[in-house]
Amino acid sequence: MKRIAVIMFVATFVISGFAQSLKKEEVMIKNLIQTAYLDGTQNIGDMAKIDAGFHPDFRMQVLEKDGSLSNVDLGGWKQMAKDNLEKGILPRPEGKQVSVNILNIDIEKYASSVKMEYILEGKTVYIDYLQLYKFADGWKIVNKTYYTVGD
């Protein structure tokens, strides 16, 4: 009986430590989404934040209306933010900023997938799927696909 109690104590300790570790990784991923994705590309246009949170080999895969697939690399992704800066869309004024509602974060050691609602002016516009890897210097967004709500 004493042996079972010890095994259960150790198992509880291990599971608790694992859960805390996952929670820490989840917080780091949420912070990355806030800084690199929202501040970097959607609300401010901060190129340094984009560079810090997106891997140089990042790709956004776009399903075109004709069923073909196109890719936007990091340079193209940053150019969209730069264009929005030039057009005066960025930085977005208070009340018109993009926010996200994270629906799911799946983490397996050094790989993660995030599903989230992209919300603009109170309406869900896209469902975004981000894939991340954890590198020596932290989590980086490596891929994005999305669904346009209403399609």
Side-chain angles (χ1 to χ4, degrees):
M1 187 65 136
K2 188 175 182 182
R3 185 174 177 181
I4 292 173
V6 169
I7 290 170
M8 290 185 66
F9 174 77
V10 170
T12 302
F13 181 74
V14 169
I15 290 170
S16 175
F18 181 70
Q20 288 176 355
S21 177
L22 275 179
K23 188 69 174 167
K24 178 182 169 191
E25 297 299 326
E26 191 174 296
V27 167
M28 287 191 292
I29 289 169
K30 286 178 178 180
N31 288 340
L32 174 72
I33 290 168
Q34 178 62 51
T35 58
Y37 187 77
L38 288 173
D39 294 345
T41 66
Q42 302 302 315
N43 291 325
I44 298 172
D46 188 322
M47 297 304 134
K49 289 181 178 184
I50 295 171
D51 288 337
F54 285 81
H55 189 272
D57 292 325
F58 166 81
R59 294 285 182 273
M60 177 174 66
Q61 298 174 322
V62 180
L63 181 60
E64 302 292 350
K65 298 279 186 210
D66 66 2
S68 65
L69 190 65
S70 63
N71 290 289
V72 177
D73 65 10
L74 184 59
W77 184 246
K78 288 171 68 174
Q79 189 59 52
M80 287 189 287
K82 289 176 186 175
D83 291 346
N84 284 337
L85 281 165
E86 288 177 16
K87 294 175 188 172
I89 296 170
L90 296 178
R92 291 182 194 270
E94 195 68 35
K96 297 214 181 252
Q97 294 190 339
V98 172
S99 63
V100 295
N101 177 30
I102 296 178
L103 302 171
N104 185 49
I105 298 179
D106 184 19
I107 303 169
E108 291 295 334
K109 197 170 182 178
Y110 57 84
S112 179
S113 182
V114 177
K115 178 182 179 182
M116 61 190 190
E117 294 175 308
Y118 176 107
I119 302 165
L120 180 61
E121 296 184 24
K123 294 184 182 182
T124 300
V125 180
Y126 305 109
I127 302 296
D128 284 344
Y129 299 88
L130 303 179
Q131 287 72 48
L132 301 89
Y133 275 130
K134 187 174 185 183
F135 296 90
D137 60 343
W139 289 98
K140 303 287 182 188
I141 301 169
V142 297
N143 192 54
K144 174 186 170 176
T145 60
Y146 65 92
Y147 159 74
T148 303
V149 175
D151 273 357

